[in-house]
Amino acid sequence: MLKALALIFLFQLYGESLCQNGTRPNIVIVMSDAFDGRLTFDPGSKVVQLPYINYLRELGTTFLSAYTNSPICCPSRAAMWSGQFVHLTQSWNNYKCLDANATTWMDLLEKNGYQTKMMGKRDYTSGSHSVSNRVEAWTRDVQFLLRQEGRPVTQLVGNMSTERIQKVDWKNTDMATQWIHQKAASPHQPFALYLGLNLPHTYKTESLGPTAGGSTFRTSPYWLKKVSSDLISVPKWLPMAAMHPVDYYSTFTKNCSGDFTEEEVKEIRAFYYAMCAETDAMLGQVIAALRETSLLHNTVVIFTADHGELAMEHRQFYKMSMFEGSSHVPLLIMGPGLVSGLQVNQLVSLVDLYPTILDIASISAVGNLSGYSLLPLLSKSSCFSKRQHPDWALSEYHGCNVNASTYMLRSGQWKYITYADGQSVPPQLFDLMLDKDELHNVVHKFPDVQAQLDKLLRSIVDYPKVSTTVHLYNKKAFGAWHQSLGRNYSQVIANLRWHVDWQKDVLANERAVDKWLNSSL
């Protein structure tokens, strides 16, 4: 009864539209890393308790078909912060992203009277991440397989009272809530707060050495109890011989081509869901701070993520894939004048956040943006632009663990995935209405659908030309790095993540690299 009364009260507070109240709302964005968007609505939401995401669902709008513009950290965030597709900013991998002086929507908010604060993970400018991330992206065209990641494992820590596992995220969440309390003491200027979380991204696997990637799913019994173990599904896998060649490459380089027991797969998935529950608690602390300071009624709250997590679907973990677990992201928006309890089927993507945030703040967009404001889809007011959002979503990927530039177009029931120049690697077509597990490539069954979607994709991006640009960048960038190391090259490259396989035949592998560097397109 009390919960119902509280919701009615908040509905009344949110009843006044953004246009009508004459004031600009505060804006709070919580962006997690590697959060599967399908967990924010049924049936996925039933597998783990996410009370604060459910709170946003009840009081705000849930986008059921939101996608990343690139299923890896830095390029995805570059699209979100710039409002432009990855190929327009040439954000090719975790090392090559936006220039440090690129104009973001946060910059425009600050220039237009907002007090701004960014905390936690941002990760959208060039030059970050390890040498491994750089080299793995640049050598994906080399004609041999590199096992780049550690085998996915689980790690249980603490006990039933251990709540704070990701200590860096909790520290940033504490700082964010303190900042909110400080703003409540001087409410004369609207504010915009961005909190970037690392969870539920996997943890670095320390046992594999300093160049290891993140392959450890870590949580405590406290968070595991939030997971309904009987609802954890065991994904269906295609036989290795039946996999698409790019998916096979990804499975191998992610160290998932070996044997996994059903119990092992279920445990990995349970630990991942538990990490999502811890993420939800951080979101809850931010919402609680807004409620305690009486700021919630005039604040737009947005929760999203840079990409998802496969969690052993398609015999893979991590991201870097166009399958739903990797590319489908959460997007929930709650605020004054926005519709409560709404679920939107419209296909959207992270580039839409840039114009949406500017629309919320009554700021005119500058430059050519790839995204569209989402306010017309969720606002009670008619004062916002009715520029219609296209009925498709675009994602692209050019980084490591995938050996061809990849392009995904979602339109209607279809997901079309094509590679490189559109000819040298076979495309994929999935009917998500009939094949939610994405196990049946029907590209040869529906040639007319493929032709139609490929034509639409080429009208959005000249993807063969982009693939050539990426190929040339990879060779030039790797060649410059190779030359800069001089005599140290063999030692440096032998100690990267694939060092075990590399050292089996160092000379042959170096010859393969040299052949690639000297080859023509």
Side-chain angles (χ1 to χ4, degrees):
M1 183 64 179
L2 288 175
K3 180 181 178 182
L5 289 173
L7 287 174
I8 291 171
F9 175 67
L10 285 168
F11 284 144
Q12 292 172 341
L13 284 177
Y14 282 8
E16 196 171 19
S17 82
L18 290 170
C19 292
Q20 293 169 346
N21 63 18
T23 62
R24 295 192 294 175
N26 306 310
I27 301 170
V28 173
I29 296 184
V30 178
M31 187 174 202
S32 67
D33 194 316
F35 200 109
D36 184 345
R38 298 169 301 174
L39 295 178
T40 62
F41 52 86
D42 295 336
S45 61
K46 290 181 169 59
V47 74
V48 56
Q49 298 174 31
L50 303 171
Y52 297 102
I53 283 175
N54 289 336
Y55 183 85
L56 289 185
R57 287 174 62 190
E58 292 176 343
L59 289 177
T61 294
T62 306
F63 286 87
L64 304 179
S65 302
Y67 286 87
T68 179
N69 298 110
S70 187
I72 194 169
C73 302
C74 192
S76 171
R77 292 164 186 270
M80 189 274 289
W81 284 104
S82 70
Q84 293 187 305
F85 290 135
V86 163
H87 63 272
L88 297 178
T89 61
Q90 297 194 341
S91 300
W92 302 137
N93 55 55
N94 264 356
Y95 182 77
K96 173 69 172 66
C97 281
L98 298 184
D99 294 335
N101 61 352
T103 300
T104 69
W105 46 261
M106 188 68 93
D107 295 325
L108 294 179
L109 289 178
E110 186 172 6
K111 289 178 181 178
N112 285 273
Y114 271 75
Q115 186 168 2
T116 61
K117 188 69 174 180
M118 294 191 287
M119 298 180 180
K121 187 170 186 176
R122 302 178 204 175
D123 202 16
Y124 62 89
T125 56
S126 295
S128 60
H129 289 271
S130 65
V131 173
S132 289
N133 286 144
R134 294 164 59 187
V135 174
E136 287 158 15
W138 295 344
T139 59
R140 64 190 178 93
D141 292 333
V142 180
Q143 296 303 306
F144 56 86
L145 293 174
L146 303 174
R147 181 174 279 116
Q148 295 163 324
E149 309 295 343
R151 180 184 170 96
V153 294
T154 59
Q155 183 182 27
L156 188 65
V157 298
N159 53 43
M160 289 298 292
S161 64
T162 307
E163 298 182 41
R164 295 195 166 201
I165 313 301
Q166 214 330 328
K167 297 188 183 303
V168 173
D169 278 354
W170 279 111
K171 179 180 178 181
N172 288 324
T173 302
D174 289 342
M175 291 171 58
T177 54
Q178 291 168 9
W179 193 83
I180 289 171
H181 280 274
Q182 292 171 4
K183 293 307 101 188
S186 54
H188 305 296
Q189 181 182 14
F191 67 80
L193 170 65
Y194 169 86
L195 173 61
L197 303 176
N198 206 57
L199 273 181
H201 192 290
T202 47
Y203 292 81
K204 184 176 179 180
T205 306
E206 303 291 347
S207 62
L208 297 180
T211 61
S215 61
T216 296
F217 293 83
R218 180 186 301 158
T219 193
S220 71
Y222 178 88
W223 296 113
L224 275 176
K225 72 180 180 182
K226 310 292 184 183
V227 179
S228 299
S229 58
D230 56 327
L231 296 181
I232 299 174
S233 63
V234 177
K236 297 176 183 177
W237 291 349
L238 292 174
M240 292 286 288
M243 294 176 72
H244 186 276
V246 173
D247 297 331
Y248 178 91
Y249 179 92
S250 295
T251 291
F252 188 93
T253 57
K254 291 177 182 178
N255 214 338
C256 291
S257 57
D259 294 331
F260 289 85
T261 66
E262 184 174 304
E263 291 74 19
E264 197 174 0
V265 172
K266 288 191 72 171
E267 185 172 270
I268 288 171
R269 291 172 70 76
F271 274 57
Y272 171 68
Y273 297 141
M275 293 160 69
C276 290
E278 186 177 0
T279 308
D280 180 78
M282 297 175 192
L283 170 66
Q285 183 168 306
V286 173
I287 292 173
L290 291 169
R291 192 169 53 218
E292 292 162 3
T293 54
S294 300
L295 291 171
L296 188 60
H297 73 282
N298 192 39
T299 300
V300 174
V301 180
I302 301 174
F303 176 72
T304 190
D306 55 357
H307 52 73
E309 162 64 56
L310 286 164
M312 301 311 293
E313 293 182 12
H314 301 278
R315 203 186 184 101
Q316 297 180 41
F317 79 111
Y318 240 20
K319 53 270 189 175
M320 308 152 177
S321 165
M322 295 303 174
F323 288 126
E324 287 292 283
S326 168
S327 63
H328 198 140
V329 297
L331 181 56
L332 301 100
I333 305 178
M334 176 185 79
L338 305 183
V339 180
S340 298
L342 179 65
Q343 292 190 331
V344 176
N345 285 303
Q346 171 71 54
L347 286 159
V348 300
S349 64
L350 291 178
V351 289
D352 294 324
L353 285 177
Y354 192 115
T356 301
I357 292 166
L358 295 188
D359 223 357
I360 291 169
S362 301
I363 299 171
S364 298
V366 292
N368 296 320
L369 297 179
S370 302
Y372 292 71
S373 174
L374 301 177
L375 280 195
L377 299 173
L378 50 84
S379 175
K380 298 174 183 177
S381 172
S382 60
C383 67
F384 296 106
S385 168
K386 293 300 182 182
R387 182 180 176 226
Q388 187 172 0
H389 196 292
D391 61 352
W392 50 260
L394 171 71
S395 188
E396 57 189 292
Y397 183 71
H398 308 283
C400 58
N401 293 105
V402 177
N403 59 341
S405 285
T406 306
Y407 307 85
M408 183 272 282
L409 185 69
R410 269 296 325 268
S411 181
Q413 71 202 68
W414 303 105
K415 175 183 285 189
Y416 177 56
I417 307 172
T418 189
Y419 303 88
D421 57 3
Q423 298 179 351
S424 56
V425 181
Q428 293 171 290
L429 179 67
F430 298 102
D431 183 343
L432 296 189
M433 186 177 295
L434 301 177
D435 180 25
K436 294 186 183 300
D437 295 327
E438 299 172 284
L439 295 174
H440 304 285
N441 180 11
V442 294
V443 71
H444 297 302
K445 187 176 180 180
F446 297 99
D448 292 345
V449 174
Q450 183 209 349
Q452 179 184 356
L453 292 176
D454 194 76
K455 181 179 179 180
L456 174 58
L457 177 60
R458 289 173 187 263
S459 72
I460 301 165
V461 51
D462 184 350
Y463 69 84
K465 182 178 180 181
V466 171
S467 298
T468 299
T469 300
V470 175
H471 182 89
L472 292 172
Y473 164 79
N474 286 342
K475 292 183 69 171
K476 182 178 179 180
F478 182 83
W481 176 79
H482 184 297
Q483 187 175 19
S484 71
L485 293 175
R487 294 180 179 179
N488 294 325
Y489 166 75
S490 295
Q491 184 62 40
V492 171
I493 201 167
N495 285 322
L496 296 179
R497 289 193 211 169
W498 57 81
H499 66 281
V500 174
D501 294 301
W502 183 277
Q503 290 179 345
K504 288 180 180 178
D505 195 346
V506 174
L507 183 59
N509 291 329
E510 289 188 3
R511 285 173 178 166
V513 170
D514 290 338
K515 182 179 179 181
W516 169 62
L517 288 173
N518 294 320
S519 66
S520 59
L521 284 177

